[in-house]
Amino acid sequence: MNRFSCVRGTGSYLPPNRVSNAELVAELARRGVESSDEWIVERTGIRARHFVADGVFSSDLALEASKRALVAAGMDAASLDLIVVATSTPDMVFPSTAAILQHKLGVAGCPAFDVQAVCSGFVYAMTVADSMIRSGSANRVLVVGAEVFSRLLDFNDRTTCVLFGDGAGAVVMEASEQPGVLATDLHADGRHVGILCVPGHVSGGAILGDPMLKMDGQAVFKLAVGVLEDSARTVLARAGLDSDDVDWLIPHQANIRIMQSTARKLRISMDKVVVTVDQHGNTSAASIPLALDCAVRDGRVHGGDRVLLEGVGGGFTWGSVLLQM
């Protein structure tokens, strides 16, 4: 009997504090930093984002998204065989946010670990889960993307601080006789470490280097569009399909221009692209599962639909997952 993995349920969570462009621009003005709603929307497509309150961590956001995904799947946390959390903003240096999430879910025993591939993290984590299920190492896996990027932002740098937000998304995956994950594709190229990074670390009780996010926007844009097209074509070819067979494209929600350019290169209409960047900003590893859950819950994505997920992020990392829901 062939063994595959499929998505049984989705969930997401955004912290209550919604920050509009107007509110962010007003805060930047108090710091002497010039920006405007028009400038942000024109360059990014972002109109709002959500920021966590003090004392709220990635595991807290992950917990709420996970609970919703488990309810949607009709499962209990105790039935999970594996928990994988994609995050670049862990609660602690260690233990993993996945282990902390496991404890908050009130379960113990199954393996739990984090995946760190920045904005590609959820695609990486989902690919790991698919492989574990196909190999027989797990039957039910909780895969989460959760981030609190607001704590990495330099609010004196208008080119980056307007881009990012906080949130979490989750899926429950299960072994199946019918394929749900049709194909996956992962890549990394460490030569591009410097174009998107947080070049700081903890040593001897102090922060060494710069703990704020740094990005070369033009370099990221140029690289992202090319690798996303290539990865999308690779997973389609592996599944014996082409872009006309895709019902929905759910790209990493980084910048509307990158998303539009990728869709154009793949000849996929923007009517078939799920866009949440306008309301969520860039939530890094959380952006794809957040967008997927939104599209499932508002009725756009149905059972049987073919959904192409693709992400690109610091590392430089990128990859795609082709799903049949």
Side-chain angles (χ1 to χ4, degrees), residues 73-96:
M75 297 179 190
D76 187 90
S79 69
L80 295 171
D81 301 304
L82 173 65
I83 298 171
V84 185
V85 174
T87 186
S88 298
T89 54
D91 291 21
M92 305 179 185
V93 174
F94 68 83
S96 69

Side-chain angles (χ1 to χ4, degrees), residues 15-17 20 25 38 48 81 85 88 93 104 112 143 152 178 199 206 241 246 263 266 272 279 283 293 306 309 312:
N17 180 28
S20 68
V25 167
E38 295 76 17
D81 301 304
V85 174
S88 298
V93 174
K104 290 182 177 181
V143 184
L152 300 177
Q178 300 298 320
L241 302 171
V246 174
L266 294 172
K272 296 168 70 173
Q279 296 302 316
T283 55
D293 184 54
R306 293 193 185 104
L309 314 177
V312 60

Side-chain angles (χ1 to χ4, degrees), residues 59 62 82-87 90-91 95-105 107 110-115 142 144:
S59 66
L82 173 65
I83 298 171
V84 185
V85 174
T87 186
D91 291 21
S96 69
T97 301
I100 298 170
L101 171 62
Q102 182 190 53
H103 174 63
K104 290 182 177 181
L105 285 168
V107 296
C110 74
F113 58 84
D114 291 354
V115 170
L142 175 64
V144 187

Side-chain angles (χ1 to χ4, degrees), residues 182-187 231-241 320 322:
L182 303 179
T184 64
D185 179 60
L186 297 180
H187 299 275
S231 185
R233 294 196 185 282
T234 296
V235 290
L236 288 168
R238 287 176 179 169
L241 302 171
S320 300
L322 183 63

